[in-house]
Amino acid sequence: MKEPKTLQEAIIHFANPDNCLTYVAAHRWPNGVECPTCGRKDVSYLANQNKWQCKSAHAKRQFTAKVGTIFEDSPLGLEKWLPAVWLIATAKNGISSCEIARSLDVTQKTAWFMLHRIRKAMASGSLMKMGGNGGEVEADETFIGGKARNMHKNVHERRITGQGQSFCDKTVVMGLLERGGEIRTQVIPDRQKHTLQPIVRQHVEAGSALYTDEMGGYKGLDREYLHQIIDHAVQYVNGRIHTNGLENFWSLLKRGINGTYVSVEPFHLFRYLDEQVFRYNYRATKKHPRTDSDRFSAVLSQVAGRRLTYAELTGKVGETVN
Ligand SMILES: [Zn+2]
């Protein structure tokens, strides 16, 4: 099966609906086609309908490659969806719905919806603990500004970058980064001990080296981790004790939000985080020289089991999008 290497190759390759189906089927079912309802593998292919049929007599026994994926129920063809995935998975600082709308000749509302569905496929489902085997993990939080829409530019910038005095209308984001490995983030209600520490325990192997700033929420973790603290009032780096990996990620994140989006509402922030985290975790490194083609293929392998309806996305029931 062909793996397009560039945007141009992707557009040409996926202009053919058969190529789209082959690609999506191969990525969502890497071990062969499976019935999305019952899991049976001895399904038959109905060539003239581009569908498979399960041998068990249950509802929805005929299915397409789109069933149960982020593409399900979308009236848009895969020849629009796949180039959209390519654009989003490979954009360095993110891409706006206006840009997608222009590039693919769809409405902005449709592009916005596509962007959110694709972000859902970009979310990491990893349950492996970080650290362990001498791994080093940084933990840190940042503030992302809330009601930035109608604010004066200076105020807007100060709030978005977290340099302002008041944090009351901000969303707190916590990050964990394994040096040389992956990053995970989540939106949290506050920076209290009872919020931060269970997250550390859930994601980081006990006994790992853990680096944080002097924030009180991390106090006491030295009983379970090799916890070392950098006091930012004194210095930013002390040998291996620093949180610079996360600081760099936060500035990338904020540059992305400032440069690409007018504002990110707190309700949607976690999806934007998923998108940026995906890009970070699939970046090219010495150990893993990943390409745009690899990033695209990684999203496609996660499209199944992640449907997102318009009502879920907006809280509005009864509206549809096309
Ligand atoms: Zn079945």
Side-chain angles (χ1 to χ4, degrees):
M1 188 194 52
K2 185 179 164 68
E3 288 277 358
K5 298 288 174 224
T6 62
L7 172 61
Q8 195 189 9
E9 278 184 30
I11 287 171
I12 294 168
H13 186 66
F14 296 126
N16 177 336
D18 288 343
N19 288 345
C20 294
L21 279 175
T22 308
Y23 195 93
V24 170
H27 281 74
R28 68 167 299 187
W29 292 302
N31 304 312
V33 180
E34 241 174 60
C35 169
T37 304
C38 72
R40 262 183 97 146
K41 300 200 72 166
D42 53 344
V43 295
S44 36
Y45 184 60
L46 313 171
N48 51 347
Q49 298 180 60
N50 275 325
K51 276 181 182 172
W52 287 269
Q53 180 166 304
C54 180
K55 290 204 164 66
S56 298
H58 56 59
K60 300 180 187 169
R61 61 190 292 218
Q62 292 189 357
F63 56 93
T64 67
K66 282 165 99 177
V67 169
T69 72
I70 59 164
F71 311 125
E72 184 174 2
D73 294 347
S74 167
L76 285 176
L78 290 171
E79 61 278 14
K80 293 271 189 204
W81 274 107
L82 297 186
V85 172
W86 186 284
L87 288 172
I88 294 159
T90 63
K92 282 255 150 48
N93 289 314
I95 185 163
S96 70
S97 51
C98 299
E99 225 173 316
I100 303 240
R102 271 199 307 276
S103 307
L104 300 178
D105 193 24
V106 295
T107 66
Q108 196 232 332
K109 192 177 171 186
T110 295
W112 182 86
F113 190 53
M114 294 172 90
L115 197 46
H116 274 295
R117 282 200 185 186
I118 294 167
R119 283 182 182 137
K120 187 152 187 181
M122 292 168 96
S124 161
S126 176
L127 298 169
M128 295 271 293
K129 288 211 172 189
M130 310 169 88
N133 297 321
E136 299 172 295
V137 178
E138 300 178 15
D140 193 28
E141 327 78 50
T142 196
F143 296 91
I144 308 285
K147 302 165 197 143
R149 188 163 283 184
N150 296 314
M151 278 192 283
H152 185 268
K153 188 163 181 287
N154 289 339
V155 180
H156 171 95
E157 272 176 6
R158 201 169 66 226
R159 295 201 174 170
I160 290 279
T161 54
Q163 306 299 313
Q165 295 293 308
S166 157
F167 295 135
C168 59
D169 60 346
K170 290 182 166 298
T171 308
V172 194
V173 176
M174 181 189 181
L176 290 164
L177 176 146
E178 178 163 356
R179 290 190 186 151
E182 67 174 64
I183 198 168
R184 291 178 199 171
T185 61
Q186 72 185 78
V187 174
I188 55 174
D190 56 57
R191 299 201 292 167
Q192 305 291 313
K193 236 181 209 181
H194 59 81
T195 302
L196 296 176
Q197 300 199 358
I199 298 173
V200 172
R201 288 189 195 102
Q202 186 194 339
H203 291 279
V204 187
E205 195 78 48
S208 308
L210 177 72
Y211 304 111
T212 70
D213 61 19
E214 67 291 353
M215 231 264 307
Y218 296 108
K219 267 202 187 101
L221 283 171
D222 56 352
R223 287 190 290 273
E224 296 147 82
Y225 297 95
L226 304 169
H227 183 198
Q228 291 183 280
I229 295 166
I230 187 78
D231 184 351
H232 283 162
V234 181
Q235 58 191 349
Y236 272 82
V237 180
N238 176 10
R240 303 199 65 76
I241 311 170
H242 62 79
T243 54
N244 284 357
L246 274 171
E247 303 288 348
N248 290 340
F249 179 78
W250 299 142
S251 62
L252 252 163
L253 176 72
K254 286 165 184 177
R255 205 182 311 148
I257 291 176
N258 269 332
T260 313
Y261 304 94
V262 179
S263 74
V264 176
E265 290 172 38
F267 178 65
H268 296 299
L269 181 63
F270 74 101
R271 293 203 194 284
Y272 181 75
L273 287 169
D274 288 341
E275 181 191 338
Q276 285 292 14
V277 163
F278 173 90
R279 257 183 225 113
Y280 182 91
N281 289 342
Y282 283 90
R283 73 199 183 282
T285 60
K286 256 201 182 120
K287 204 167 134 202
H288 302 286
R290 299 185 185 94
T291 62
D292 281 349
S293 179
D294 298 327
R295 281 179 275 277
F296 172 72
S297 150
V299 178
L300 262 294
S301 65
Q302 302 190 148
V303 294
R306 299 190 180 203
R307 293 192 52 209
L308 184 64
T309 64
Y310 193 68
E312 274 177 285
L313 190 49
T314 58
K316 294 174 199 160
V317 181
E319 265 195 65
T320 53
V321 72
N322 49 41

